[in-house]
Amino acid sequence: MREIVLDTETTGLNPLTGDRLVEIGCVEIFNRIPTGQVYHVYLNPQRDMPVEAFNVHGLSSEFLADKPLFAQVADDFLAFIAGDPLVIHNAAFDIGFLNAELAKIGRPALTFDRVIDTLSLARRRHPGASNRLDDLMNRYGINSSRRTKHGALLDSELLAEVYAELCGGKQTALSLTASEATVIVIEGQVASPMQRPRPLAPRGNEAEAAAHAAFIATLGENAIWKDYTAGS
């Protein structure tokens, strides 16, 4: 399955108060493996660069002055992502900025039913832990030495690795039937895993389950997210 890992850099935190996109980076993955196809562009935000944002990504107003406007690259960007699922960390932030730019040029918004938010996936897998991208890279032993500052393309490449780990890592394609025995080898000796005498009690409460169900219902019947919550 083709998916697009996506990240953006901006002039700030809120597109509703005038902040703009300054960089978009996308990495194509197929069955969660990068294909080598990427989309990357710097954008002229037509405004100043606050020092707080510059300290995050290092993109100055001078550097961006001769870069294209979003309207000039929108067709190429939309053609690259096509109708495929978008894998984004803290997706509400990036989708909010992308939709603000699309609205400015009269184009339809990107819908959340095609979005896989790796922050939500990480919170489900590691409840109670910090799940920033840096934390996840450290947790999964992903080399982040190239990441001296935030960058949309580099962060998309790193997120693709994190996403593969969240979905099972190198064992993501392994499937055992109910009739196959699980074999564990420890220091050359075969050991059988112990079975719990009874399942663990649910960690969530009824209010949390109801809130989660209400959120899933807002995504519609075709939401990709349902592929990751089936049976949970």
Side-chain angles (χ1 to χ4, degrees):
M1 180 177 67
R2 183 181 191 260
E3 297 170 296
I4 302 298
V5 185
L6 183 152
D7 187 54
T8 66
E9 298 299 335
T10 71
T11 64
L13 301 177
N14 191 347
L16 300 180
T17 58
D19 286 315
R20 303 290 300 274
L21 286 178
V22 296
E23 185 183 9
I24 303 172
C26 301
V27 172
E28 179 187 70
I29 58 176
F30 192 82
N31 292 338
R32 303 186 185 122
I33 299 174
T35 66
Q37 297 298 311
V38 303
Y39 175 86
H40 180 232
V41 65
Y42 293 111
L43 299 168
N44 181 348
Q46 298 181 292
R47 56 153 293 169
D48 65 303
M49 180 63 69
V51 64
E52 295 84 0
F54 175 79
N55 290 339
V56 171
H57 49 58
L59 302 176
S60 67
S61 298
E62 294 75 17
F63 173 77
L64 297 169
D66 63 349
K67 302 303 184 284
L69 305 180
F70 180 81
Q72 296 172 292
V73 305
D75 286 342
D76 288 343
F77 167 66
L78 293 172
F80 185 84
I81 66 173
D84 295 303
L86 303 176
V87 179
I88 309 173
H89 199 70
N90 190 19
F93 179 88
D94 302 88
I95 294 295
F97 270 92
L98 287 165
N99 281 344
E101 297 289 351
L102 290 167
K104 285 180 172 67
I105 60 173
R107 305 296 288 271
L110 302 174
T111 57
F112 274 91
D113 62 357
R114 64 182 292 187
V115 172
I116 300 166
D117 189 344
T118 51
L119 178 58
S120 295
L121 288 177
R123 285 172 172 168
R124 287 170 58 84
R125 185 162 183 179
H126 307 290
S130 178
N131 288 300
R132 298 177 307 155
L133 183 57
D134 284 328
D135 298 319
L136 293 168
M137 288 188 293
N138 289 334
R139 190 170 298 146
Y140 294 130
I142 295 170
N143 183 359
S144 60
S145 60
R146 296 178 293 159
R147 196 179 190 239
T148 56
K149 285 187 178 293
H150 288 228
L153 182 58
L154 175 58
D155 284 1
S156 292
E157 292 170 346
L158 294 170
L159 181 58
E161 295 187 58
V162 167
Y163 177 53
E165 294 294 340
L166 286 170
C167 294
K170 295 181 177 61
Q171 299 301 316
T172 186
L174 180 62
S175 176
L176 298 177
T177 66
S179 61
E180 291 177 301
T182 300
V183 178
I184 299 175
V185 179
I186 303 175
E187 296 181 351
Q189 301 296 315
V190 176
S192 299
M194 295 181 63
Q195 300 296 318
R196 293 185 182 277
R198 56 183 177 276
L200 292 174
R203 300 182 67 177
N205 55 43
E206 291 184 3
E208 291 171 337
H212 178 68
F215 169 72
I216 294 298
T218 66
L219 300 181
E221 289 300 319
N222 297 321
I224 297 166
W225 181 253
K226 292 190 175 181
D227 294 339
Y228 297 84
T229 59
S232 62

